[in-house]
Amino acid sequence: MKKPPREEPRDDLTVTPPKTWAAGVPAVVHALEYSLEQTSPRQSAVDLLTMNQVDGIDCPGCAWADPAPGRRHRNEYCENGAKHINDEATTRRITAGFFREHSVSDLGRRSDMWLNQQGRLTEPMVKRPGSDHYEPISWRDALNLLAEELKALDTPDEAVFYTSGRVSNEAAFVLQLFARAYGTNNLPDCSNMCHESSGFALHETLGTGKGTVGLDDLHHADLIFLVGQNPGTNHPRQLSALEQAKSNGARIVAVNPLPEAGLLRFKNPQKARGLIGQGVRIADRFLHIRPGGDMALFQALNRLLLEAEDARPGKVLDHAFIDGCTSGFEEFAEHARDVSWDDVLAATGLAREEIEQVRDEVLRSERVVVCWAMGITQHKHGVPTIREIVNFLLLRGNLGRAGAGACPVRGHSNVQGNRTMGIWEQMPDSFLDALQREFGFDPPRAHGLDSVNSIKAMREGRIKFFLGVAGNFVRAAPDSAVTEEAMRSCRLTAHVSTKLNGSHTVCGQTALILPTLGRTERDRQAGGEQFVTVENSMSEVHTSRGRLKPASSLLLSEVAILCRLARRTLGDGPGNVPWEEFEADYSAIRDRIARIVPGLHDFNRRVARPGGIRLPNPVNEGVYRTATGKAMFTSNACHVPRVPEGHLLLQTLRSHDQWNTIPYTHNDRYRGIHGSRRVVMVNPADLNALALTGGDRVDLVSVWHDDAERRAEGFEVVPYPTARGSAAAYYPETQVLVPLDSVADLSNQPTSKGIVVRLERAVP
Ligand code: SF4
């Protein structure tokens, strides 16, 4: 068994120039180094050789799609995927002795990096009221305790059931079924905090919450926008798709406040010339935009396209598409023609010529894809920004045809599948009606609580029970101090987890840790060995089957935990849900999903085929389930992020050595940051204006209307080519700065990419 680190690593910052290319030999070396630090060469080989292969393990790292069966590489994974999978497959173990040695208070002072490095959880643990230690508890007692607590609540709406995107389709379906049979729609998820703005805007304008493109569309696009995303770190195999697109002649426009290495050049480690050569240039144009300026950019592009049409009538816009498939064009066009260049230039920080050059790229292109991620969604105006992207695509008919479309790039591996399975506090009546028909109980119809509203409800004493299935809710949520206080006010908090994280240290009066199987492990139930299914960012549903021996004989699968909890809580009712049968054989769950979720008919047979099922997207069939029955142009007031004198607009971001909320090391190789995460990256010209210099120690203080001061202490200043007027610092350390009430209009998503801060010299 590998030994975990005893002590926290010290901050010891060194800074080197940011890299101008991603992957290559260092990616292979780092992946192997981390994997072998965690697990044996044999286990690592089993994981890596089956990862992302047909009938293998789906990488938990992100939701990027796999190439079609037959076109997959023998090593179909990236550096980060290899690290993530072997982080789970670690041979380090946490036993009861660990919890005797470390009190909850002690663990609460540890970093999430240290907690994660201690290894896999191996048996259920409970922290009882008044105690400062977790102690072992049997599964039977743990589940009884949870069930009794649920039965004792005044109303089912005093409970919330949180999920992260690591959860399989089968577990997600069972969880939402349990919550609704119990009587609540309180089903917050991590999507509330990452792509809620995408879902809202796409539903409203196109009638689907999902992206419209597949990998082949990217390969055959002739212009691809990468907006507010960092593929080199957050979905690295996207770079292989972009490389292929470029070899087919595509041009790429990258739009970001930081010139991330993965946006600039890629050396594909799957190819010999990628390992030893110069690699492929990714961005043909890089727009160094201010955070939150993307809406103004697309408004300006839309105006320029309308003007180009005026100059060459009938040659620029796709009139057949606009007339036949869209609504609201006239009103939109009138509004778009009035967009002010002063506002555009102030919001974007770009020169007008740069935007005009992009217009020319668009005019030369027949097939355009726009990819985006949290650099777009996590702003107050995230929803209108995506509406403007949709307007942009509609103008030239770049939807519903090969090589064109909208591509919101999801982070968690099954975050999209969870929604398909009903993990949403606002599922439509059509889904709830189908549940009612299938299982014979009446699901609650009132909308439940999302993540932000769950925290508010806890704070107000309206939530007493929190169950988190996977994830690290306390760290992923905004306003860390407020969230922690809210969680502590619960009567019971429980987490279904593979490894220890910060959320286990922020306890309700009673707290439970329910250890579960990981993706890499064999899942044997009464009906034999099981596999699960997941859905990637491109709506492909496929299997995932673990190969390794479970980390402990005491682990239960997520499905088993939830089915047993449902039986203990609900007894024989309501309706007729066969929980025991579901636990024994997951194909019984899939049979029911097949009758409830459109597009998954004959689920068991079809998902067993290599590559699985691609869920139909109505947009690609010319169907728009919107208020007008057509794709909707919208008119949106231009948003110019305003930052008071002496302040900066902060975006939170992940380092390259990090998986969601969990850092693996203190290094961020591509950005040249080594040995510390408490750094704030600021443009040298802004540092000059603030009379600061590299190496100064500062506190970050966020400025919000509620007058409460939110402070993240002791950050070292690093001069960095961030867009003027902006700063960047790591998540989740800076979540403390994101006010709970600072959310995107309409989607209620926290605005972690647009926080006004001032930098105060730290008191030595
Ligand atoms: S791109 Fe994403 S899914 Fe693919 S191997 Fe890397 S982390 Fe895993």
Side-chain angles (χ1 to χ4, degrees), residues 51-52 58-66 75-85 231-239 410-411 413 536 659:
M51 187 162 160
N52 296 329
D58 179 60
C59 172
C62 78
W64 193 249
D66 303 315
N75 295 299
E76 192 59 60
Y77 53 83
C78 68
E79 172 193 349
N80 282 350
K83 291 189 297 201
H84 303 330
I85 204 113
T233 288
N234 297 329
H235 5 263
R237 278 187 313 147
Q238 184 180 9
L239 295 177
R410 313 268 172 179
S413 61
N536 63 35
W659 185 25

Side-chain angles (χ1 to χ4, degrees), residues 318-373:
D318 185 338
H319 288 285
F321 179 79
I322 292 170
D323 294 345
C325 301
T326 72
S327 63
F329 173 73
E330 294 302 336
E331 195 187 339
F332 151 77
E334 194 184 328
H335 181 82
R337 286 177 203 282
D338 278 346
V339 168
S340 141
W341 274 106
D342 286 347
D343 283 350
V344 168
L345 301 186
T348 61
L350 301 172
R352 181 167 172 164
E353 305 78 68
E354 290 179 277
I355 302 174
E356 288 171 343
Q357 285 161 1
V358 174
R359 178 230 18 226
D360 295 342
E361 297 267 6
V362 176
L363 290 175
R364 285 194 291 270
S365 306
E366 298 272 303
R367 298 174 301 280
V368 179
V369 171
V370 181
C371 305
W372 71 88

Side-chain angles (χ1 to χ4, degrees), residues 278-305:
Q278 291 300 306
V280 175
R281 176 172 161 179
I282 295 294
D284 298 287
R285 289 185 189 282
F286 174 65
L287 300 186
H288 200 185
I289 199 165
R290 291 195 170 134
D294 312 270
M295 176 189 187
L297 169 68
F298 279 94
Q299 287 195 316
L301 286 171
N302 291 339
R303 173 179 165 166
L304 288 169
L305 291 175

Side-chain angles (χ1 to χ4, degrees), residues 485-642:
E485 196 183 324
M487 282 287 274
R488 289 196 175 98
S489 73
C490 289
R491 244 177 20 212
L492 185 144
T493 51
H495 300 273
V496 178
S497 308
T498 52
K499 298 183 87 180
L500 202 56
N501 62 45
S503 294
H504 303 114
T505 72
V506 181
C507 303
Q509 284 171 38
T510 300
L512 284 153
I513 297 175
L514 307 170
T516 192
L517 293 175
R519 284 256 177 102
T520 50
E521 291 163 331
R522 288 187 188 280
D523 182 353
R524 283 189 204 285
Q525 303 296 339
E529 194 165 309
Q530 307 296 314
F531 65 84
V532 293
T533 61
V534 292
E535 177 183 339
N536 63 35
S537 225
M538 293 175 173
S539 303
E540 292 160 338
V541 181
H542 60 89
T543 61
S544 177
R545 190 191 289 274
R547 305 279 176 198
L548 300 182
K549 186 175 167 217
S552 153
S553 59
L554 291 176
L555 300 184
L556 292 181
S557 73
E558 285 162 347
V559 169
I561 294 168
L562 295 168
C563 287
R564 290 182 193 186
L565 177 59
R567 279 165 59 206
R568 280 173 170 74
T569 308
L570 304 173
D572 291 334
N576 44 29
V577 185
W579 301 109
E580 231 174 318
E581 192 187 330
F582 282 177
E583 180 185 336
D585 184 354
Y586 302 171
S587 67
I589 305 173
R590 287 187 289 273
D591 280 341
R592 301 305 187 102
I593 294 170
R595 293 207 281 270
I596 288 169
V597 177
L600 286 180
H601 54 278
D602 202 7
F603 191 4
N604 275 306
R605 187 185 64 78
R606 291 163 68 223
V607 84
R609 296 186 305 212
I613 302 165
R614 176 136 193 239
L615 283 167
N617 188 311
V619 169
N620 293 334
E621 289 154 19
V623 175
Y624 299 94
R625 299 194 183 117
T626 63
T628 61
K630 295 191 168 184
M632 289 168 63
F633 278 102
T634 54
S635 305
N636 307 287
C638 185
H639 181 95
V640 182
R642 304 277 177 205

